[in-house]
Amino acid sequence: MTTTPRAMREMETSRLPSGSQTVGPFFHYGLLENGDVPLIRGTDAPAGQRIRIEGRVFDGAGDPVNDALLEIWQADGFGQFNTECAEASFDGFGRLHSREDGSFVIDTVLPGRVDGQASHLNLHLFSRGLLNHLFTRIYFEGEPGLDSDPMLTEVPEARRRTLIARRDGSSDGLDRYRFDLHMQGSEETVFFAL
Amino acid sequence: MTIDLGRHGIRESDDPTIPGDYVSPVTGYETNSLIENPANLHQPPMVFDPYQSTRLRGPRNKLVPVASSRTERTAPVYGFHNIGRMDNDLTIQHDGQPLGEKIVIVGQVRNDAGQPLPNTLIEIWQANASGRYIHKKDQHPAPLDPNFTGAGRTFTDENGYYKFITIRPGPYPWGNHHDAWRPAHIHFSLLGRAFHQRLVTQMYFPGDQLLEIDPIYMANPSARARDLLIARFDRRFDVPGIALGYRFDIVIGSPRATPFE
């Protein structure tokens, strides 16, 4: 097919944001070449309270989503973002896929508060059937600042709990939390638009 | 790394707007650009009934609009990929040559103000020339190619340009509806220098008869936005006698809301 000068110019000068398309079911070997990208790598021991968040991803029928991709971005235990040194022991980025039963495990440190916000992880959710990826946050039950957090307070009160990981005990210095993602349904997780 | 843009160079233009009614330079179809102007009409909906997987997976509640904080305006330096110099050439990852038509894809990554985005991680993955993914869950009974994996990655250079060498993937049947076929496509993933600069999309090929009947491609209501997912056949980027060139530029949008703080 001939490419006209106009078609070429449009490609080279467009300022229209590129259209999103689904990640599809086969992203694993493209985005997780060496497996999941954990937040805590190898024997690294970044400063801060170690936490484990366990959860599952569900669709609108309540069935587990076994082909979701989760990307995490968070501050370190001091509330600082590592944007300069990729070799440091904690860069705040993680990538993981859901298992056959829809489950995932996030091992990390409790992020410090950033500019007065409550402690939170940023989460991008991708999957087959999502034409646009979804942006949400994970907050933590019992942590200070939940009532005044600028993003959480934008959410209707009845739905805020969908964003708050539930405390689930401690063991071996690890604080445990539960957090499920519901893509639809009465418990649908709150997703944000920037 | 600086990408060789070929003997003709790249034309500069400061006029990105296309006034009046929009006639697709690819398909020839007309669309009134005025009714397409709102930005959210240039992205697909969360639920698009013809694409069946969206029915139970696209959220039904409206997204909650928020202003960005420092968490959204920062992003890591990507230390998790130890990117080799040749990771952008998918045709040399095995001992032999892959089957299929070798192609070169060159493009520029910009923001919606037209500024190039350097040092942006681009990851791609695709089916082989027969339309088969190496993924263990791909049940399409087309042959695997022992000389083709179908995954590559690179960073944009200081002017926002990237380059991949690969083979043209084949179309393949899928289970969405009776005799459904996906048009040939390559998955693209981009991580910018802010959390909100995140894009996952698919690149398509000009002249593909399957595009107009593909519910994933057609889910975007904007003919212009759909067009821009189709690479332009661009022989400036040929490797003469070896590979045909395509141009595929990518624009990453900015958040609409004003930051708080």
Side-chain angles (χ1 to χ4, degrees), chain B residues 178-243:
Chain B
H178 175 67
D179 201 20
W181 282 73
R182 292 288 342 265
H185 62 274
I186 297 176
H187 294 268
F188 274 69
S189 165
L190 285 86
L191 287 145
R193 283 183 297 180
F195 174 81
H196 66 71
Q197 286 184 332
R198 187 74 180 94
L199 177 71
V200 170
T201 189
Q202 301 179 25
M203 186 200 94
Y204 300 93
F205 290 87
D208 193 328
Q209 303 301 309
L210 293 167
L211 286 168
E212 285 167 33
I213 52 171
D214 176 51
I216 293 179
Y217 173 73
M218 292 303 291
N220 193 313
S222 160
R224 190 174 153 218
R226 291 198 302 271
D227 263 3
L228 289 164
L229 295 182
I230 302 173
R232 308 301 196 239
F233 182 46
D234 190 340
R235 302 206 62 191
R236 288 177 298 179
F237 306 124
D238 282 12
V239 179
I242 304 287

Side-chain angles (χ1 to χ4, degrees), chain A residues 104-162:
Chain A
F104 60 86
V105 179
I106 303 170
D107 275 315
T108 186
V109 294
L110 185 71
R113 298 181 66 179
V114 177
D115 304 329
Q117 302 176 82
S119 289
H120 61 274
L121 309 183
N122 268 21
L123 171 66
H124 275 152
L125 176 66
F126 305 80
S127 85
R128 168 177 66 83
L130 281 182
L131 288 158
N132 309 277
H133 64 266
L134 298 172
F135 161 38
T136 189
R137 276 186 169 187
I138 303 177
Y139 292 90
F140 300 92
E141 180 183 3
E143 287 300 311
L146 291 173
D147 291 339
S148 57
D149 181 86
M151 203 170 282
L152 191 57
T153 51
E154 291 292 320
V155 177
E157 206 160 347
R159 297 188 68 207
R160 284 181 200 167
R161 61 194 176 87
T162 70

